[in-house]
Amino acid sequence: MILTFLGIESSCDDTAAAVVRSDGTILSSVVSGQTALHAAFGGVVPEIAARAHAERLDGCVEQALGRAGVALRDMDGIAVTAGPGLIGGVMAGVMLAKGLAAGTGLPLVGVNHLAGHALTPRLTDAVQFPYLMLLVSGGHCQFLRVDGAQDFTRLGGTIDDAPGEAFDKVAKLLGLPQPGGPAVEAEAAQGDPAAIRLPRPLLDRPGCDLSFSGLKTAVLRARDEAIAAHGGLRLQDRADICAAFQAAVAEVLAEKTRRALAASPVPLMAVAGGVAANGAIRAALDGVARERGVRFLAPPLALCTDNAAMIAWAGIERFRLGHRDGLDLAARPRWPLDHAAAPMLGAGKRGAKA
Ligand code: KG4
Ligand code: ZN
């Protein structure tokens, strides 16, 4: 039987609602971003985010149902991000979902945001378990082996910043606009990655853990040296620093992917998160996958970044495994996917993710 779910997402700075069917059809996916609201503060302000979610969520749900041409009564369930994320936003989504479930009698399924990202290749390409997922965004960075819709093994992750966060901070250091990723990538295209030597953090240590904050500090030093040498930051120096930074991130991600695939051989490796938009990083990961004879999959960008279609889908997968939540469903700021993994130390500017 084909199921149709409403999905709701509000764990960071995107308010989103979507209607998705269990055959993989996305009937609608509405995302209302908050970049402009936080622009003046250099990062997501949790209280502003929570307020904006509370104001926008019902409108997003109405739009998602409208665009899909369905009514709430046509749904088979309501899936909502119940964590991890900025708690005020998660609570806003969970409260709305509970209200809708209570009003309609529909089943309620709380979804882990990271599971939403990790299960996206099954929504977009119907891939089979097991596979390797690399989540790389402004708030997440981890390798997950996915063996089932509720069976994740964390192979490693960042011990400090997420890579998108590092791109954003590097952009800020170099006077480039936010979000930093696309700006740094555009600059890097004009630069020479070999002009400056930046470190390759944690490559000397075994395992799949990553670190990006030292790289950011190295960029600061390179910038100051260039300024001291020439009395200002020349455009070519800036482009070279961007190219060197991007090459360092790509190389580290590629090598850690190589290790993850060696430790846990699987037929497919997928990426998700905004950083997966980066051409050099994509190419480096694709290269490692080829080298190991593994299929490489990068879902369309709109489904790589935060959205509610992935939440609806993960809700369907959980529901099919018999999972239901009651009106006591709790919003959780932290919710590790892999209960066996040691807790991470890092808590980026977008909040601790797991
Ligand atoms: O997944 P995402 O949209 O949202 C959150 O993490 O919440 O990821 C956004 C991040 C930002 O840090 C942005 O700078 C980064 O993804 N990003 C990129 C590129 N496009 C976006 N990083 C590197 N290269 C890009 N082309
Ligand atoms: Zn996310």
Side-chain angles (χ1 to χ4, degrees):
M1 186 186 116
I2 292 188
L3 300 171
T4 308
F5 263 57
L6 172 69
I8 296 171
E9 155 66 34
S10 56
S11 65
C12 188
D13 58 348
D14 290 303
T15 314
V19 179
V20 173
R21 288 200 327 210
S22 56
D23 63 359
T25 311
I26 299 173
L27 295 177
S28 65
S29 179
V30 175
V31 180
S32 169
Q34 303 179 359
T35 310
L37 291 181
H38 304 284
F41 305 98
V44 177
V45 183
E47 187 51 40
I48 294 176
R51 209 172 282 261
H53 286 306
E55 281 166 6
R56 296 175 181 188
L57 270 164
D58 55 345
C60 284
V61 167
E62 274 181 355
Q63 256 190 45
L65 292 170
R67 284 190 200 170
V70 295
L72 259 184
R73 64 174 177 280
D74 302 321
M75 299 298 104
D76 296 298
I78 298 172
V80 63
T81 301
L86 299 173
I87 192 63
V90 179
M91 281 171 66
V94 167
M95 302 264 278
L96 175 69
K98 282 183 187 176
L100 293 176
T104 56
L106 287 169
L108 174 68
V109 181
V111 168
N112 183 309
H113 177 86
L114 302 171
H117 280 301
L119 295 172
T120 298
R122 291 173 51 76
L123 165 63
T124 57
D125 292 78
V127 309
Q128 301 296 306
F129 301 119
Y131 56 91
L132 178 72
M133 163 59 70
L134 170 59
L135 285 182
V136 273
S137 72
H140 328 291
C141 181
Q142 50 185 302
F143 287 104
L144 289 167
R145 182 188 154 108
V146 188
D147 281 289
Q150 301 194 108
D151 187 357
F152 305 94
T153 308
R154 195 175 168 292
L155 302 174
T158 183
I159 60 167
D160 41 56
D161 293 352
E165 197 175 356
F167 269 94
D168 294 342
K169 288 178 179 170
V170 163
K172 205 182 282 180
L173 288 176
L174 299 176
L176 294 168
Q178 299 291 317
V184 170
E185 183 175 16
E187 281 290 310
Q190 316 298 322
D192 172 11
I196 298 146
R197 181 72 197 163
L198 293 177
R200 303 291 188 261
L202 295 196
L203 277 197
D204 53 339
R205 268 205 246 160
C208 299
D209 280 343
L210 302 119
S211 160
F212 295 100
S213 78
L215 203 46
K216 177 191 68 197
T217 312
V219 164
L220 173 65
R221 218 168 19 240
R223 180 201 70 177
D224 289 347
E225 279 168 14
I227 291 174
H230 305 289
L233 187 62
R234 299 182 307 182
L235 289 180
Q236 191 56 50
D237 290 334
R238 182 163 84 175
D240 289 346
I241 293 173
C242 287
F245 167 75
Q246 182 175 275
V249 174
E251 193 183 316
V252 168
L253 287 173
E255 175 55 25
K256 296 288 173 163
T257 300
R258 197 172 282 121
R259 291 185 196 175
L261 287 171
S264 193
V266 285
L268 180 131
M269 127 115 203
V271 282
V275 180
N278 186 284
I281 291 173
R282 245 178 218 244
L285 299 175
D286 192 25
V288 173
R290 273 167 203 272
E291 193 183 294
R292 301 202 62 93
V294 165
R295 185 178 157 209
F296 177 72
L297 180 68
L301 197 60
L303 294 171
C304 270
T305 55
D306 286 352
N307 66 89
M310 69 179 189
I311 301 303
W313 175 262
I316 289 172
E317 293 231 35
R318 275 198 111 184
F319 183 79
R320 287 195 146 162
L321 293 175
H323 185 94
R324 311 283 184 276
D325 282 296
L327 293 180
D328 57 351
L329 172 67
R332 302 173 60 173
R334 285 180 178 256
W335 183 359
L337 268 182
D338 177 354
H339 298 285
M344 292 306 291
L345 299 173
K349 71 174 167 153
R350 298 179 191 219
K353 289 288 185 180

